[in-house]
Amino acid sequence: SDYSVGDNVPYKVTVKVPEVLLTATPKEGEEENFVFEVTDTPENLKNNKDVKVYTSAGEEYKGAGVDISYTTPENGFTAKFTQAALRALVGTNADGSYNDTFTITYTAKLLKGADMTVNGNKNTINLKYSNKIDADGKINPGTSSEIEDGAVVYTFSIHVDKRGEKKDGDPLPGVKFNVYKKVAEGTKGAVQGSTIGITGADAGEYFVKVVIDGTKTDGTKYDLVTGPDGKAQVDGLANGTYYLVETATVNGYNLLSGPVKVTIQVSYFKSWTVKNEYVGDTLVHQKETEYEEYFGGSEDDPKNGYTLTTIINRKGFNLPTTGGFGTLLFSGIGVLLVVAGVGVLLSL
């Protein structure tokens, strides 16, 4: 899926427990060495420390035997389960047999600097569990296996090329924009499109300002500013509809008459198949093949997800500045006309 930087990405992990781990008995004195651990390792994501565990019936589990610790600097977590907790989590059927799944949910914030290429931002879940049952039905705590799975979050960007008069005209540096993202009605901080100059079908839709640099404290954190080459970019955006509202331009050029619509619609798709095989006594869960669909918002660079838009400003003219020579000249002429009028009146 795709998200913007700062968004909280929801995750749900479904864990399947082999029945043999529920029915076998740890060796005497080795109960604490029973292994069943789920570890989350995110890339460019930070866990919000809101991990919750649910039973197979969908109820939040608040019983004993589940130890959750948050890891740094990986920004993930590790959840350890006792055998008794696993039995309680999966539950039993009417005939006394065990179910085999439970779930873990949490959210993770997509961080600034997230990868915007085809690699995406992967979140990997690893399951480590005791894997050897002796002939007497006892769990051997000395060995374990690991399997893993993952999900990928993509994020993209808008590139702006600001030119004067024509598409290949002079680059315009120092031009400022506010960037607005289309959101659902009721979103905190959202304003209706018509209030920021949007017309047409989107005038009645809702938009929020995109923070360009959250570290700024001088009130300019929303300003997207073109550089000496007339270019600027805003990173870490999800697919969607955006508007660029020009707030300042180069002296001698007119401000744009209205916001510029930019649509990010990057196609992405990554899939793989897995196979399980034993290497000795170890079950190996590995990726077998991988398939990638077209990825990118630019034909020039299909491996990077961005949308490029060229915005042209036209030259205009400046009205006389208040208090300047032009104002004094016109004021003087006005006074002379008034005096002349009074003179005519007195002569009658």
Side-chain angles (χ1 to χ4, degrees), residues 29 58 79 144 167 181 219 228 265 297 335:
S144 62
K167 189 173 182 180
K181 177 185 179 182
Q265 192 59 56
V335 170

Side-chain angles (χ1 to χ4, degrees), residues 181-191 204-208:
K181 177 185 179 182
K182 186 177 179 180
V183 295
E185 182 178 356
T187 301
K188 184 179 179 180
V191 297
E205 299 294 334
Y206 289 83
F207 297 82
V208 294

Side-chain angles (χ1 to χ4, degrees), residues 4-21:
S4 296
V5 166
D7 285 349
N8 292 316
V9 183
Y11 288 95
K12 180 179 180 180
V13 184
T14 302
V15 184
K16 185 173 182 178
V17 186
E19 184 177 3
V20 67
L21 285 184

Side-chain angles (χ1 to χ4, degrees), residues 3-121:
Y3 286 87
S4 296
V5 166
D7 285 349
N8 292 316
V9 183
Y11 288 95
K12 180 179 180 180
V13 184
T14 302
V15 184
K16 185 173 182 178
V17 186
E19 184 177 3
V20 67
L21 285 184
L22 301 170
T23 56
T25 305
K27 290 184 177 181
E28 186 175 352
E30 296 284 357
E31 291 83 2
E32 293 185 358
N33 293 325
F34 174 83
V35 177
F36 201 92
E37 299 177 4
V38 175
T39 300
D40 167 66
T41 306
E43 298 175 1
N44 301 315
L45 293 148
K46 184 177 182 179
N47 190 282
N48 288 318
K49 297 185 178 181
D50 57 357
V51 174
K52 294 181 179 180
V53 182
Y54 292 86
T55 67
S56 60
E59 300 174 349
E60 184 178 356
Y61 181 77
K62 296 183 178 180
V66 179
D67 178 29
I68 298 172
S69 59
Y70 295 96
T71 57
T72 55
E74 293 86 0
N75 297 321
F77 70 89
T78 295
K80 297 182 180 181
F81 302 85
T82 64
Q83 188 183 44
L86 291 178
R87 289 170 176 164
L89 282 166
V90 300
T92 56
N93 299 304
D95 60 2
S97 62
Y98 286 106
N99 294 311
D100 62 358
T101 60
F102 68 93
T103 57
I104 302 172
T105 67
Y106 60 97
T107 63
K109 181 175 290 187
L110 186 61
L111 300 175
K112 184 178 180 180
D115 193 310
M116 293 181 292
T117 71
V118 68
N119 296 321
N121 303 276

Side-chain angles (χ1 to χ4, degrees), residues 180 192-205 207 242-243 245 258-259:
Y180 288 84
Q192 209 160 23
S194 58
T195 66
I196 55 174
I198 296 174
T199 59
D202 284 333
E205 299 294 334
F207 297 82
Y242 298 82
Y243 278 88
V245 178

Side-chain angles (χ1 to χ4, degrees), residues 10-340:
Y11 288 95
K12 180 179 180 180
V13 184
T14 302
V15 184
K16 185 173 182 178
V17 186
E19 184 177 3
V20 67
L21 285 184
L22 301 170
T23 56
T25 305
K27 290 184 177 181
E28 186 175 352
E30 296 284 357
E31 291 83 2
E32 293 185 358
N33 293 325
F34 174 83
V35 177
F36 201 92
E37 299 177 4
V38 175
T39 300
D40 167 66
T41 306
E43 298 175 1
N44 301 315
L45 293 148
K46 184 177 182 179
N47 190 282
N48 288 318
K49 297 185 178 181
D50 57 357
V51 174
K52 294 181 179 180
V53 182
Y54 292 86
T55 67
S56 60
E59 300 174 349
E60 184 178 356
Y61 181 77
K62 296 183 178 180
V66 179
D67 178 29
I68 298 172
S69 59
Y70 295 96
T71 57
T72 55
E74 293 86 0
N75 297 321
F77 70 89
T78 295
K80 297 182 180 181
F81 302 85
T82 64
Q83 188 183 44
L86 291 178
R87 289 170 176 164
L89 282 166
V90 300
T92 56
N93 299 304
D95 60 2
S97 62
Y98 286 106
N99 294 311
D100 62 358
T101 60
F102 68 93
T103 57
I104 302 172
T105 67
Y106 60 97
T107 63
K109 181 175 290 187
L110 186 61
L111 300 175
K112 184 178 180 180
D115 193 310
M116 293 181 292
T117 71
V118 68
N119 296 321
N121 303 276
K122 191 172 183 180
N123 196 7
T124 302
I125 285 289
N126 176 278
L127 172 63
K128 182 178 180 180
Y129 60 98
S130 296
N131 73 333
K132 188 172 183 180
I133 309 297
D134 290 340
D136 59 0
K138 303 287 185 180
I139 298 175
N140 188 326
T143 60
S144 62
S145 287
E146 296 184 31
I147 60 176
E148 70 175 34
D149 203 349
V152 181
V153 171
Y154 294 101
T155 192
F156 316 111
S157 67
I158 293 173
H159 290 202
V160 175
D161 187 11
K162 189 68 171 172
R163 299 282 174 167
E165 297 295 332
K166 54 185 179 178
K167 189 173 182 180
D168 58 351
D170 293 335
L172 301 183
V175 180
K176 295 182 180 180
F177 298 91
N178 287 157
V179 182
Y180 288 84
K181 177 185 179 182
K182 186 177 179 180
V183 295
E185 182 178 356
T187 301
K188 184 179 179 180
V191 297
Q192 209 160 23
S194 58
T195 66
I196 55 174
I198 296 174
T199 59
D202 284 333
E205 299 294 334
Y206 289 83
F207 297 82
V208 294
K209 270 186 182 180
V210 175
V211 174
I212 306 301
D213 187 350
T215 66
K216 292 186 176 181
T217 58
D218 59 356
T220 64
K221 65 179 181 179
Y222 297 108
D223 288 343
L224 178 65
V225 185
T226 59
D229 58 358
K231 295 181 180 180
Q233 68 183 69
V234 52
D235 297 332
L237 302 176
N239 277 330
T241 300
Y242 298 82
Y243 278 88
L244 307 181
V245 178
E246 191 172 86
T247 60
T249 190
V250 175
N251 188 33
Y253 286 84
N254 290 325
L255 280 173
L256 298 177
S257 59
V260 177
K261 184 177 181 178
V262 181
T263 302
I264 301 180
Q265 192 59 56
V266 178
S267 298
Y268 60 85
F269 183 84
K270 180 181 286 189
S271 68
W272 54 87
T273 58
V274 295
K275 63 178 180 180
N276 298 325
E277 63 180 20
Y278 281 92
V279 179
D281 293 330
T282 302
L283 177 63
V284 178
H285 175 92
Q286 61 186 354
K287 186 184 299 182
E288 185 176 24
T289 61
E290 187 170 292
Y291 169 73
E292 291 178 1
E293 195 182 61
Y294 169 78
F295 177 95
S298 167
E299 294 180 357
D300 297 330
D301 195 350
K303 289 296 183 181
N304 285 282
Y306 64 88
T307 295
L308 172 64
T309 182
T310 300
I311 302 176
I312 299 171
N313 275 67
R314 306 294 182 185
K315 288 185 178 180
F317 60 90
N318 295 322
L319 292 174
T321 305
T322 302
F325 177 76
T327 303
L328 294 175
L329 177 62
F330 283 106
S331 297
I333 293 172
V335 170
L336 290 175
L337 289 174
V338 172
V339 171

